[in-house]
Amino acid sequence: MNRFKNIFFVFLVAVTGIISGCGKGNPSAGQNTTETQFSKVTVQMGAATALEADTQSKAVATIPPDVNSVKLDISRNAETLFTECRSVTPGQTITFEDIGLSSGANSLFEGQAFAASDCSGETLYAGTTSGVTLIPGENPPVPVNLGLVGSIAPTVITDAAANTGTSCVDLKGTINANGFEVVAWFEWGLDSNYGSQTAIRAVGNGTTDAVFTEMLCGLTPATGYNYRAVASNGGDLVFGDDQAFSSQAIGDSLVDVPIGFPGEIPPSVVTDVATNISTSSATLIANINPEGVNTQAYFEWGLDTSYGNTTPLQTLGNGFDDVTPSAMLTGLEPENTYHFRAVAFNAFGTTVGENQSFPTHGEPPVGEPEVACIEGNEPTMIKYGDHTVDCQIDTNSDGDTFNFVGTTGDVIRIVVEAFADGLDARLEIRDPDGILLHNNWCGGGCSIVVEPKSFNIEPSDTLMKTGSYSILISDQNNDEGGAYGLQLEKIPPSVTPQKILYNVPINDTIDHKADIDFFVFDGESGTDIRITVSAFADGLDARLEVYDPDGIQLHNNWCGGGCSIVVEPNSFNITPSPLLPKTGVYTLIVSDQNHDEGGNYEINIQCLFGACPE
């Protein structure tokens, strides 16, 4: 009967004793004593991993499926030190107290697991150690398999590695499970001591040879490595022979990938050009055909063709059509050239795409906050962070043009405030190719607030092109005129805003109708905070926006004149969560809801729970 079900059954033993010569006991008066903590002994049944044992004389067992009682016997020189039968529940963790171990003693562990609840009848699992001698401060964890009764060990062959590159390789093994459920992995390292292992994979319970492969990445170029395949059915742990390979040197040609029949070949890979390039981020794209076999892919990237970084693994399925995986890189340095390529693999091999590169943009210049409008036909140049002064539509047919430099991936906000009641302000925005993105207007004395996602012609989350954008402001019917204000902001801003410290309130002012104030604070994942904005001026309809360290908006809400906004993570109105979701620099934006009033306000942040930054 095959009862193996990926069993996890662990005895963990740790001892604290008072050492005086040999053995354990109470020292006599005046005797020198030393209190010593011994290393733990791990007794495992199945492919179990060591749990943390406490430092008392105890054994801890985690109970596998089908087991309803466990018996533990510990002896030394045929003398029974400990014996106990315990009724258990599968999945339960139990502790055997006062098991009576001492240092310098060769102790024998015997464990049995039964289907019955009284340690009688059929034994499901059993095993005995060869004896463990406890030496103060010297014992490593000692694993001892308590095997599945009647099991047949898997057979394991470590095959030659394939598709060796500068940083990745395919490790291969052949495993016969011999009818029992088996898991397998590879041990690897710079020599035959290994020191690292791949993820544990289930390989089934077949009775014929099965190929087991694992793609290993993050290697150092031109370096020798050792590895071996390992398999376990819970009771038997089997190691394949040692094999070795050397990663390629940088500049060596990539290995050829064998081409077989449809459905039995590696994936095809094309590395596409990067998109959404900004000063600090870019999106990598590839076209990959899985060729009918379950395929996974990732990107390698870095400042040269040695790359050195990889993106998270993506699962692409097993279709025959092209799939377009992408990965967004953040935290890049401005004005640097980055290299990247796509890598995909399936059970029949690995394919590496061609190298591509892209330059990140330089930081856009940030000018003085106030910009005077230029009269005449010449456009007024503005930059992120600018707002205009002394601007007006002064004849019925007048229109004012502004230019600014935008970068692909930027999130911006344009605010136009008509100060004159008779001015029905119209706002037109064109991209660097002259394509109209936005054309809208509002009634006299109103405000227009526009972001890329609110463009009324080609909305998008960010600017889609790099170059000079144009803004045209005019009167809707060309029959009125009057003063207006224009403000252009990047979100988050290009320059570092004022930093808020916890429990240190800041008083500020929305000092003209189109004003937008930015603040930042350091947030820790798992921290509960409270943000309060109190509008002192009756005319200020305070709006608060909160952005996480990746620029994702978490909160956007406002309250009527002279009010207060109180926000905690669980009250974010866009992506609420019990605690702050990420660690990093958060951005706050305070403005007037309709950009038609101003006044004084106070902003404060309190830390309610967790590791609050200073």
Side-chain angles (χ1 to χ4, degrees), residues 85-247:
C85 172
R86 184 79 64 85
S87 295
V88 296
T89 301
Q92 178 187 9
T93 298
I94 63 172
T95 300
F96 293 92
E97 304 281 353
D98 300 322
I99 59 178
L101 298 183
S102 60
S103 67
N106 191 315
S107 301
L108 186 69
F109 294 84
E110 297 179 277
Q112 293 176 281
F114 302 87
S117 60
D118 58 355
C119 298
S120 65
E122 181 183 6
T123 300
L124 299 182
Y125 312 98
T128 304
T129 71
S130 58
V132 177
T133 299
L134 298 177
I135 303 174
E138 296 184 13
N139 272 81
V142 181
V144 185
N145 284 327
L146 303 181
L148 175 68
V149 174
S151 67
I152 302 174
T155 56
V156 180
I157 298 173
T158 308
D159 295 322
N163 302 322
T164 307
T166 58
S167 61
C168 292
V169 67
D170 286 335
L171 305 183
K172 293 191 174 185
T174 302
I175 295 174
N176 189 324
N178 290 322
F180 288 80
E181 293 288 345
V182 166
V183 294
W185 62 95
F186 291 95
E187 294 180 332
W188 65 278
L190 294 173
D191 53 36
S192 57
N193 292 320
Y194 309 112
S196 300
Q197 74 173 52
T198 64
I200 296 175
R201 312 284 188 190
V203 295
N205 60 357
T207 55
T208 59
D209 288 350
V211 176
F212 172 61
T213 64
E214 186 77 31
M215 187 174 189
L216 178 64
C217 287
L219 306 176
T220 302
T223 302
Y225 291 89
N226 292 69
Y227 70 101
R228 67 180 177 185
V230 186
S232 173
N233 64 9
D236 302 290
L237 186 65
V238 182
F239 300 89
D241 291 336
D242 179 75
Q243 289 269 21
F245 68 90
S246 292
S247 55

Side-chain angles (χ1 to χ4, degrees), residues 383-546:
K383 307 171 188 67
Y384 293 141
D386 285 351
H387 68 264
T388 62
V389 293
D390 300 327
C391 291
Q392 72 173 23
I393 302 299
D394 50 15
T395 64
N396 290 351
S397 60
D398 188 22
D400 291 344
T401 302
F402 302 84
N403 288 350
F404 72 92
V405 175
T407 300
T408 302
D410 285 354
V411 177
I412 67 168
R413 178 174 297 166
I414 300 170
V415 180
V416 177
E417 168 66 22
F419 301 144
D421 291 340
L423 177 58
D424 300 326
R426 173 172 291 279
L427 171 64
E428 300 173 55
I429 305 171
R430 294 182 183 272
D431 73 8
D433 296 324
I435 298 173
L436 186 66
L437 301 176
H438 189 84
N439 186 358
N440 209 346
W441 68 283
C442 66
C446 64
S447 297
I448 304 175
V449 182
V450 177
E451 298 178 9
K453 64 184 178 183
S454 62
F455 288 164
N456 65 353
I457 298 179
E458 292 185 0
S460 59
D461 290 334
T462 66
L463 294 183
M464 301 303 292
K465 297 176 184 177
T466 296
S468 180
Y469 288 74
S470 66
I471 297 173
L472 175 64
I473 299 174
S474 61
D475 182 74
Q476 155 65 6
N477 299 307
N478 291 318
D479 59 0
E480 295 284 348
Y484 68 90
L486 169 67
Q487 182 156 349
L488 174 66
E489 294 285 357
K490 181 183 176 185
I491 302 173
S494 301
V495 294
T496 303
Q498 184 173 2
K499 185 173 183 178
I500 301 179
L501 301 178
Y502 287 92
N503 301 311
V504 181
I506 293 177
N507 287 283
D508 210 329
T509 303
I510 300 297
D511 51 16
H512 56 87
K513 294 183 179 180
D515 189 21
I516 302 172
D517 290 345
F518 290 88
F519 303 91
V520 295
F521 71 92
D522 294 326
E524 290 283 342
S525 173
T527 301
D528 192 10
I529 67 166
R530 178 177 295 155
I531 306 169
T532 304
V533 176
S534 301
F536 300 141
D538 291 340
L540 177 58
D541 300 326
R543 173 173 291 279
L544 172 64
E545 301 169 56
V546 183

Side-chain angles (χ1 to χ4, degrees), residues 3 19 42-43 45 61 90 139 182 200 261 351 392 396 409 449:
R3 291 182 175 272
I19 308 304
T42 304
V43 184
M45 177 182 293
N139 272 81
V182 166
I200 296 175
F261 297 101
T351 308
Q392 72 173 23
N396 290 351
V449 182

Side-chain angles (χ1 to χ4, degrees), residues 16-27 32-36 38 103:
T16 298
I18 305 297
I19 308 304
S20 174
C22 296
K24 173 182 179 182
N26 296 321
N32 291 330
T33 63
T34 304
E35 185 173 351
T36 306
F38 303 141
S103 67

